[in-house]
Amino acid sequence: MQILPAIDLRGGKCVNLVQGIAEQETVFSDSPVDMAKQWEAAGAEYLHLVDLDGAFQRESANIDIVSEIVSVIDIPVQLGGGIRNMDQVDSILELGVHRAILGTAALKNPELVQHACSKYKERIAVGIDAKDGMVATHGWLEVSQKSTVDFAAELTEVQTIIYTDIKSDGMLKGPNVNATAEIINAVSASVIASGGVTSTSDIIALKEIGASGAIIGRALYTGDLTFSEAIDAAR
């Protein structure tokens, strides 16, 4: 199982939000580029980037920082947040981002998912953000009437799904393992778990249900979990 350190971008800084709430922000670094270098030096094989400004503003932001990160590290990165149309998908992948994550747009515009997957195949992922079993959209500010499991099952063209339980995110209390397992059992795609991963036991539990990866943010920055511990648990 792969461990993906998260770099959440907001206002040009590396931050973390509790349950996606903008007012509950912690700034972990003024230099996301330096953080990317640090995770690569620590042995990360893949980085997870989130453009929070893009998610909230409904259009991409922080692209200059993403471009710089891609240019200074040798490991692949995936990016989500505010990617709403094919032009944005094209430009982000042309920057050198390895995988573009469609979130709100995937629910609102299924044709975009089909077009993007047809053109870019494994370089397209869909992020499913869940609140009480329902798909949340627009930077987690809105909750749809679509269940996460039903939505996941519809994504037949998608090779990678990133599943985040909003109530777990940033809480340092562990992931929603049961809900993640339901998604894994509903799809043939690889499922990367996100939200609340805090301990080696969390990683082992996700590995046991068949998660292909775990995205870890706050716990790595606070020191509740070291990257070397996470890697050892994943192996």
Side-chain angles (χ1 to χ4, degrees):
M1 188 173 76
Q2 196 169 51
I3 300 297
L4 297 84
I7 297 178
D8 292 357
L9 303 166
R10 190 174 186 218
K13 299 178 180 181
C14 173
V15 307
N16 183 259
L17 308 183
V18 175
Q19 296 183 334
I21 300 170
E23 292 75 22
Q24 296 190 32
E25 176 187 271
T26 304
V27 177
F28 285 117
S29 174
D30 291 331
S31 176
V33 176
D34 288 343
M35 283 308 313
K37 292 178 181 176
Q38 179 178 318
W39 292 129
E40 181 181 39
E45 297 178 345
Y46 212 114
L47 283 187
H48 175 73
L49 307 182
V50 180
D51 185 347
L52 290 173
D53 293 310
F56 290 133
Q57 297 167 8
R58 307 188 182 189
E59 61 181 280
S60 296
N62 296 300
I63 291 302
D64 289 345
I65 293 173
V66 173
S67 179
E68 188 175 354
I69 288 173
V70 169
S71 70
V72 300
I73 64 174
D74 293 323
I75 59 175
V77 306
Q78 60 185 20
L79 173 68
I83 305 172
R84 303 291 163 88
N85 57 58
M86 202 63 205
D87 287 342
Q88 289 174 315
V89 172
D90 290 335
S91 62
I92 285 165
L93 294 181
E94 286 169 6
L95 276 181
V97 170
H98 180 257
R99 193 155 55 205
I101 305 167
L102 300 174
T104 296
L107 181 65
K108 303 287 186 181
N109 185 2
E111 292 79 14
L112 173 63
V113 178
Q114 294 167 4
H115 185 189
C117 288
S118 175
K119 184 173 182 179
Y120 291 112
K121 299 181 172 55
E122 76 280 354
R123 297 185 69 192
I124 301 299
V126 168
I128 300 179
D129 301 328
K131 190 168 187 178
D132 297 323
M134 309 303 284
V135 179
T137 63
H138 299 99
W140 301 354
L141 298 175
E142 300 175 16
V143 179
S144 73
Q145 296 302 306
K146 173 78 76 171
S147 87
T148 54
V149 174
D150 288 347
F151 181 45
E154 293 170 3
L155 299 170
T156 54
E157 312 93 343
V158 178
Q159 296 186 31
T160 302
I161 289 172
I162 293 142
Y163 177 75
T164 304
D165 185 272
I166 294 173
K167 287 189 174 180
S168 301
D169 193 69
M171 296 299 290
L172 298 176
K173 294 182 178 179
N176 190 331
V177 175
N178 291 337
T180 307
E182 288 183 1
I183 299 294
I184 291 170
N185 293 334
V187 301
S188 59
S190 298
V191 176
I192 299 173
S194 175
V197 180
T198 306
S199 66
T200 55
S201 60
D202 292 338
I203 295 168
I204 291 167
L206 291 171
K207 184 178 181 181
E208 287 177 346
I209 62 171
S212 65
I215 294 166
I216 310 178
R218 181 175 286 267
L220 291 177
Y221 290 100
T222 59
D224 286 83
L225 181 66
T226 68
F227 188 72
S228 59
E229 289 172 337
I231 289 293
D232 289 344
R235 289 173 178 160

